[in-house]
Structure formats: C-alpha cells, structure tokens
Amino acid sequence: MTIDIRPHHLLCILTYAGKGYSEEFTRNYGRIVARLNAGETVSIVEGPDEICAPLVDAEAEPHCLRESVTRRDADASASLARLLRRPIAVGDEILLDVPTTAALRDAFASGTVRKACDGCQWSRLCCSIARRGFRDAFLIGHAAPEPTPDQSKERE
Ligand code: SF4
C-alpha cells in the first residue's frame, strides 16, 4: 500500500507530534504516521493529500488549495530532490526508512530544506521539536526486518 503525500508534508511529517488543526485531523495524521512506521511507502501527489483530507472535507475554503501551499510543495520538492539526489515528483514513491528519516531530519535541523516553511504558522513548534532532537515526534521510520536464521547463515 502507498500513502498519498504532497511534497511539503514530507517535511511536516518529520516534526509531527500530535498537534494540529482539529481532533479529526490529528487522529487521521496519527494513523498515517503509524502506517509509515510500519513500512508503507509515500506516493507523491499534487494538491491535497491523505493528511489534508479531514480539512478538505470540513472547510468550505480549505487552505490546502491555496497558491501559497502549492508554493510550499514546489520549494519542498526542489530542496528534497537536491538532498536525496532523486526526483520528488508526482507518482514517485519513497520509503521513509530509518536512514532516510534520519537524513531528512539532519537537513531539517540544519535548515537546508526549510524554504518551504517560510511564513508557516507552525514554524515555531517545528523548530522547537527539531531543537529537542525530534524526540517528541511520532515518526520513527521503518526499520528493516531482522534477517532470518537462514539469511544470517548465507552471510557467513
Ligand atoms: S513549519 Fe510548517 S511547513 Fe514547515 S514542517 Fe512545520 S508545519 Fe510543515
């Protein structure tokens, strides 16, 4: 299974710690992060994604459709593509495994992928979570399964 995610949410997911616009929004967000931790992959989409869904359903003019949010996506795509040395475009799939999550967080903490965050109302919270080493954040990153006994023998 894949999870539809718009590009700038690849940044937001790194600091998500249970706070958000509404109870339905955070409940849905928590389920998405749990699926990512379990190894489901991100599928990059344009416009509102699975994180936006509760807002799109609940608001007459959801901010998810604003041009400023589309600009965040463009900025995030560009900076993350540079960092990961791969395209971040519609239809691309990304596994947020432990090493990838750590690389994204290093870059987030150093500010090199934060252009997309300019003017965001959550910036202060995200900065403080990053300063605290992301320990309050829910995303762990998918851990590769331990090798089976047979696979371990093959390596010997
Ligand atoms: S500051 Fe805003 S855009 Fe940046 S990671 Fe936080 S919530 Fe996302």
Side-chain angles (χ1 to χ4, degrees), residues 50-123:
E50 293 192 40
I51 291 174
C52 301
L55 298 178
V56 175
D57 294 344
E59 295 177 4
E61 293 181 16
H63 78 266
C64 324
L65 295 168
R66 284 186 201 150
E67 199 189 322
S68 58
V69 184
T70 303
R71 210 165 39 240
R72 283 195 207 293
D73 286 331
D75 288 338
S77 287
S79 61
L80 292 173
R82 269 195 306 275
L83 174 74
L84 299 174
R85 297 171 193 267
R86 52 158 295 173
I88 305 290
V90 172
D92 286 337
E93 290 191 18
I94 302 167
L95 174 66
L96 291 178
D97 55 14
V98 171
T100 304
T101 301
L104 291 172
R105 282 187 168 143
D106 282 350
F108 190 98
S110 71
T112 55
V113 293
R114 298 287 311 275
K115 187 169 188 312
C117 302
D118 285 354
C120 177
Q121 69 181 105
W122 299 98
S123 198

